[in-house]
Amino acid sequence: MDKVSIAVFASGTGSNARHLIELERANALHPAHVAVLVSDQPECQAVAFARLANIPVWAKKHKEAGGKEAFERAVVSFLQEHDVRLVVLAGYMRLVGSVLLDAYEGRMINLHPSLLPAFKGLDAIGQALDAGIQQTGVTVHYVTAGLDDGPVIAQTPVAIKPTDTKETLSARIHEAEHELLSEVVRTVCLLLKENEEK
Ligand code: GRF
């Protein structure tokens, strides 16, 4: 069975990108293949890890690329060169613009550290802690033009303990993210394959 090439977009630590890459190395991401990594932060850890793993990287700041539209046009060409069929935003800290959306809407998913629609935007983990609730979670959803909007694909709840700090809660959120994102990537890639074979 052919693999489905995916692009992982990341702007920071890249623990989710790394998890996907490591799963593929262990033959546990089938039918997905991490073909490329894209970043708007050339110095970030996600880029460094992908380079070490010999994954082709496209990384530039928007300013270096000539602005957001030019950045996205160059990225779309890069993705097409590598036959990318699914874009996975995993800690990509930019709102996607119309150039990328036009090329990949319906084939672009985002990971967010809350049970959307609760706590959209930045610092979702801090927002959940400040709200004094007992449960938050993680979401993977299709990307649309709105911030952390778009149809939800899957969610995992994560309990908030009374003793939790941002650090302890973030650690459990990340574990849940690694599990959920890899499961969704495998499933969405299978669906893409099935649809293409019909
Ligand atoms: C994750 O919590 C993700 O939900 C959010 O950014 C974080 C990225 O983490 N969008 P990492 O860079 O994969 O470690």
Side-chain angles (χ1 to χ4, degrees), residues 12-17 90-93 110-113 125 173-174 177:
T13 314
S15 72
N16 283 282
Y92 181 63
M93 305 309 282
N110 179 46
L111 173 66
H112 186 76
I125 299 173
I173 291 261
H174 269 86
E177 286 188 332

Side-chain angles (χ1 to χ4, degrees), residues 139-152:
T139 300
V140 181
H141 64 95
Y142 284 107
V143 176
T144 54
L147 173 68
D148 299 325
D149 218 355
V152 169

Side-chain angles (χ1 to χ4, degrees), residues 107-173:
R107 293 184 301 138
M108 186 172 349
I109 62 177
N110 179 46
L111 173 66
H112 186 76
S114 75
L115 292 176
L116 288 172
F119 312 128
K120 293 183 177 183
L122 291 176
D123 195 20
I125 299 173
Q127 291 185 55
L129 273 175
D130 290 346
I133 48 173
Q134 290 172 350
Q135 179 179 272
T136 181
V138 305
T139 300
V140 181
H141 64 95
Y142 284 107
V143 176
T144 54
L147 173 68
D148 299 325
D149 218 355
V152 169
I153 303 170
Q155 296 184 304
T156 306
V158 175
I160 303 179
K161 300 175 184 168
T163 51
D164 261 334
T165 60
K166 206 155 156 191
E167 208 172 46
T168 58
L169 181 57
S170 296
R172 291 204 311 289
I173 291 261

Side-chain angles (χ1 to χ4, degrees), residues 33-54:
H33 160 56
V34 182
V36 296
L37 184 124
V38 170
S39 183
D40 61 325
Q41 298 298 331
E43 309 298 329
C44 75
Q45 285 182 57
V47 165
F49 182 79
R51 290 216 163 101
L52 269 180
N54 282 322

